[in-house]
Amino acid sequence: MSVELPLWRALTAYRVLAMLYAVGLFATVYDGFVRPGVAIAYYVVLFVWTLATLPRVANAAACTKRFLAVDLTIAITGILLTRVADEAARIAEGGPTLPSIWTAGSVLAFALKGGWRWAAFASTGVALANLAERGAPTRDTVHNVILVWVAAIAIGYVVEVARASERTLARALEIEATTRERERLARDIHDSVLQVLAMVQRRGAVIGGEAAELGRMAGEQEVALRTLVSGGLVPVSRVSEDEAEGAVVRTVDEPDDDTGPVDLRSLLAPYAAAKVSLAEPGAPVPLPPAAARELAAAVGAALDNVRKHAGEQARAWILVEDEPDEVIVTVRDDGPGIPDGRLAQAEGEGRLGVALSIRGRLRELGGSADLISVPGQGTEVELKVPKQTQSSQGKAAKR
């Protein structure tokens, strides 16, 4: 049930009771009116309008702007007609207006429909009408005007907060339902599709030949599907196969929006394969778009080096760590490692893969790339990028 519905029901009851109160109040002082016929005509209109419009104040959808405008007009007209129907002495003494407390119901309808801004508009109109009816601002008039004004604005603000809370609760329930459905699908897929793909991968490797290639492809699909059902991180990608080289190349469709942060996990997920494992936090790892793409490219360069120098059979692991001030991505393999002095020799020969593709990218982002390699024990590349990168600082300075 909507949190607003009880408020609309209370308003419906209030309008009926306030109308009956106004009519009863007039009946007790009927003899004191100068023109009682004007008052009677107004109360007939008020009685019919209140009962006929009960469905209009049942919910926010039925309470239209046109209805609110007419309702407020009837309330203000009744206030101004008091000078015509009642005697001047009673008005000067602070006697009630023709609609009396019914006017507050009209203002509250504005508050429930549009929040505190609409409530301020309606209560201001009622305040001006009361001042015009009195002829001069008295203490009681000012007191009543301020009371209605503050109460209407407060109720309007409470309604806005209630609506925001309701939207937040609905979103939380939607996320919970989505998570439960994903877990159910993950269980079903794990018990069926993933086991079949894993079996095809193992059998293909044993049989060899074309079956080995099918096994390799089944292993890649198993990793991609496992990543998808576990976190839904794999973005839409285009996969093409170079028949001459026999290598699978993934091209990730990068997000078009460069204004907001990008979840690094979505850019690293396509690198996961049969021989590449990805371990990432369960929560998003936000980075500026340029920094996220450069870091992902550096990870791709590190994996290229694994394939080139450690061989196609080498396994690699990607570990993503989200620290308070920086993001750390570690790429480790189980290859033969890099001999001492080999990197310096490669740079001297003009082969700058590590120097430019990895360290150069991180240096431009204000980060660092540390390479640790022990012959016979594999290689580990640790990439660090601060959350507030140099590129984002430069953009902020320009603005």
Side-chain angles (χ1 to χ4, degrees), residues 264 285-288 290-292 295 321-329 361-369 383-393:
L264 178 63
V285 183
L287 277 177
L295 181 54
E321 300 175 85
D322 188 10
E323 299 294 339
D325 299 326
E326 62 182 359
V327 174
I328 304 175
V329 180
R361 294 178 188 273
L362 274 296
R363 190 182 305 114
E364 292 180 358
L365 299 175
S368 62
L383 310 174
K384 295 182 180 180
V385 174
K387 296 258 181 103
Q388 186 69 20
T389 62
Q390 291 181 356
S391 58
S392 60
Q393 291 174 352

Side-chain angles (χ1 to χ4, degrees), residues 177-189 229:
T178 302
T179 302
R180 289 181 178 178
E181 180 64 14
R182 178 176 294 165
E183 291 176 352
R184 185 188 68 81
L185 292 175
R187 291 193 300 269
D188 294 342
I189 292 174
V229 298

Side-chain angles (χ1 to χ4, degrees), residues 284-342:
V285 183
L287 277 177
R293 286 193 290 266
E294 289 297 314
L295 181 54
V299 172
L303 292 176
D304 288 339
N305 287 335
V306 173
R307 285 190 292 269
K308 291 179 182 178
H309 303 293
E312 293 292 339
Q313 300 303 318
R315 294 188 57 86
W317 294 267
I318 305 173
L319 174 63
V320 182
E321 300 175 85
D322 188 10
E323 299 294 339
D325 299 326
E326 62 182 359
V327 174
I328 304 175
V329 180
T330 304
V331 181
R332 183 171 60 87
D333 65 72
D334 60 356
I338 303 176
D340 294 337
R342 178 55 183 162

Side-chain angles (χ1 to χ4, degrees), residues 89-109:
R90 192 180 357 251
I91 295 176
E93 292 174 358
T97 60
L98 291 181
S100 184
I101 61 174
W102 187 89
T103 305
S106 180
V107 176
L108 292 177

Side-chain angles (χ1 to χ4, degrees), residues 40 63 75 84 96 99 109-110 163 166 186 201 206 224 264 308 320 322 337 350 358:
I40 292 174
C63 188
V84 179
F110 271 82
R163 285 174 179 164
E166 186 176 10
Q201 180 187 12
V206 173
L264 178 63
K308 291 179 182 178
V320 182
D322 188 10
I358 300 179

Side-chain angles (χ1 to χ4, degrees), residues 23-45:
V23 173
L25 190 64
F26 165 73
T28 59
V29 292
Y30 171 82
D31 297 335
F33 274 73
V34 178
R35 297 180 179 85
V38 175
I40 292 174
Y42 175 78
Y43 283 124
V44 170
V45 174

